[in-house]
Amino acid sequence: MQKDTVTIINNRTNEKFEYPILDGTVGPSVVDISTFYQDTGMFTFDRGYTSTASCRSKITYIDGGKGQLMYRGYDISYLAKNRTFLDTAYLLLNKTLPSKEELEDFSIEMKKRSFIRESMKKLFDAFPDNAHPMAILSASVSALSTFYFEHLDIDKPNEYMEMAKRIIAKMPTIAAFAHRYSQGLPIIYPDLGRGFTENFLYMLRGYPHRHIDLKPIEIKALDTIFTLHADHEQNASTTTVRNVGSTHAHPYAAISAGIGALWGRAHGGANESVIRQLEMIGSVDRVDEFIKRAKDKDDPFRLMGFGHRVYKNFDPRAKILKEIRDKLMEEGIGVNSELVKVANKIEKIALSDEYFISRKLYPNVDFHSGLILQALKIPKEMFAVIFVIGRTPGWVAQWIELQEQPTIKIARPRQLYVGPVDRTPKDD
Ligand code: CMC
């Protein structure tokens, strides 16, 4: 049978090269150019990897045109509305949703593993006051590799699982400690009587020996945020985790690097930037001025929480979050109604403005999440940290998938060199 191929003709030499087309279960086909350099002596050029598939994966599928996101074949809205973050984490790691008993066991194990070694607390003492929690988090996750050095060389499923469960369970504790230390507040240890998400909110907000009431709607809102962030195929931070993982570094070093990549405002830092921007705009009568700035080519100002590399119709995560934001407002859970008015006006204008329509710029997951997190009394500096807690199961699932390949190819792109040559003095 004739194989489907793409033919490339080099007009300089008139040579023809054929490359196989590979089909996934769904989504665009890919052209396998892995022998391109060997065949042609040339590299392909793809700044920002906009046309490059870097791996085969069975974890997450996004259809940016339809606004569809699936984890292991399950639609995100099903998981967000009917399941919990722990179900989702289990699904990402084990490839199937858990039964009631499996979920119960997983939850108990998460609780037991949520503590960090007492000696690790000294690390937090070393950071200056007001240190950004993302910096503390990245450093602490890297430091965790010193406590679990045995995870450096793992190749059995039970070893991967232990590594994975450990980091997912400890991430909220490290994150909460990062916040408490950076603010000079007493740390709160995990409470074994509380579930995963409730426990994180408790460690963030609680005080020693003081009862704290967390409303189910607040826990569900944060749990949904975690679920919506759990994986997003080969985005910048996941690609970072896979790239570091491809060198056989410690998995926690790979995740620490992923945290660094996520921190930037073009990625996980956007939710913090959205709130800061909404506060800067301040009132509905100033929205037009900022929309004008966003459209001005000579102004670096961008509307934070708008646009996405993959979603070109709508971001399904943003839709779900908008519903949650409005529900929290109805229930009087402290959503800043002035900022909601500003956000709604920005959204309304942008969705009908030629600049945004022609560039397919829609509200992304970060546009609404900041307002929800603010309503949950989570400080802005912690917004990207929340993203990290949610994304950790995705990172470890992607790391495991990479390690389970028959052979690991180190990530090593090439370049188009445009710098100077022959500058070395000849007679020295
Ligand atoms: N405001 C104004 N103009 C924008 C925006 C924006 N937020 N985003 C993109 N554009 C314009 C951009 O100037 C360019 O215009 P032109 O074609 O005239 O040069 C065009 O739209 C394409 O933009 P791009 O930067 O080439 O697109 P990209 O796919 O490389 O970048 C993005 C995607 C998310 C980095 C970008 O849209 C952005 O910076 N958005 C704001 C930051 C943000 O909300 N980030 C969170 C992303 S979702 C969470 C996550 O995955 O981490």
Side-chain angles (χ1 to χ4, degrees), residues 50 232 235 262 265-271 274 294-295 297 301-310 312 315 317 355-356 359 361 364-366 387 391:
T50 54
H232 216 226
N235 56 82
L262 191 92
R265 66 175 178 278
H267 193 7
N271 50 15
V274 169
K295 290 164 34 176
K297 278 248 155 277
F301 178 85
R302 278 194 170 198
L303 268 192
M304 299 312 289
F306 264 80
H308 198 275
R309 173 62 63 78
V310 185
K312 299 297 174 195
D315 180 339
R317 303 167 301 170
Y355 174 93
F356 294 90
R359 287 168 182 76
L361 303 172
N364 60 47
V365 68
D366 295 313
F387 198 148
R391 185 54 54 88

Side-chain angles (χ1 to χ4, degrees), residues 132-142 167 171 174-175 236-238 240-241 244 252-264 267-269 384-385 387-389 391-392 395:
H132 198 287
M134 281 295 272
I136 303 182
L137 196 62
S138 177
S140 308
V141 169
S142 188
I167 189 70
M171 197 64 94
I174 299 174
S237 56
T238 302
T240 302
V241 170
V244 178
Y252 295 166
I255 290 168
S256 165
I259 296 172
L262 191 92
W263 190 359
H267 193 7
V385 170
F387 198 148
V388 170
I389 297 173
R391 185 54 54 88
T392 303
W395 284 335

Side-chain angles (χ1 to χ4, degrees), residues 148-317:
Y148 301 103
F149 198 67
E150 70 272 20
H151 293 330
L152 181 63
D153 272 317
I154 47 179
D155 53 16
K156 295 183 188 66
N158 62 327
E159 294 170 338
Y160 292 144
M161 271 319 154
E162 180 162 27
M163 176 284 290
K165 286 188 277 194
R166 196 164 256 159
I167 189 70
I168 295 168
K170 292 185 195 319
M171 197 64 94
T173 311
I174 299 174
F177 281 20
H179 167 62
R180 309 289 301 203
Y181 273 91
S182 77
Q183 299 301 306
L185 297 168
I187 55 155
I188 303 291
Y189 285 101
D191 176 350
L192 293 176
R194 297 177 193 261
F196 186 92
T197 300
E198 181 186 355
N199 196 27
F200 173 66
L201 266 183
Y202 161 73
M203 288 189 285
L204 213 57
R205 284 202 210 156
Y207 272 89
H209 313 298
R210 201 185 71 183
H211 176 73
I212 165 164
D213 240 349
L214 296 162
K215 299 190 180 67
I217 186 173
E218 296 181 287
I219 298 164
K220 177 62 187 164
L222 185 58
D223 198 75
T224 308
I225 288 185
F226 287 155
T227 300
L228 296 177
H229 286 87
D231 196 49
H232 216 226
E233 52 120 308
Q234 308 312 317
N235 56 82
S237 56
T238 302
T239 299
T240 302
V241 170
R242 278 189 178 253
N243 283 356
V244 178
S246 79
T247 70
H248 302 277
H250 194 287
Y252 295 166
I255 290 168
S256 165
I259 296 172
L262 191 92
W263 190 359
R265 66 175 178 278
H267 193 7
N271 50 15
E272 182 178 341
S273 306
V274 169
I275 281 289
R276 293 196 191 279
Q277 195 170 85
L278 291 176
E279 286 174 348
M280 180 180 75
I281 298 172
S283 65
V284 280
D285 46 291
R286 296 190 66 208
V287 168
D288 291 331
E289 178 195 328
F290 285 91
I291 294 273
K292 202 167 150 213
R293 284 189 60 190
K295 290 164 34 176
D296 182 353
K297 278 248 155 277
D298 300 322
D299 190 332
F301 178 85
R302 278 194 170 198
L303 268 192
M304 299 312 289
F306 264 80
H308 198 275
R309 173 62 63 78
V310 185
Y311 296 116
K312 299 297 174 195
N313 188 344
F314 68 91
D315 180 339
R317 303 167 301 170

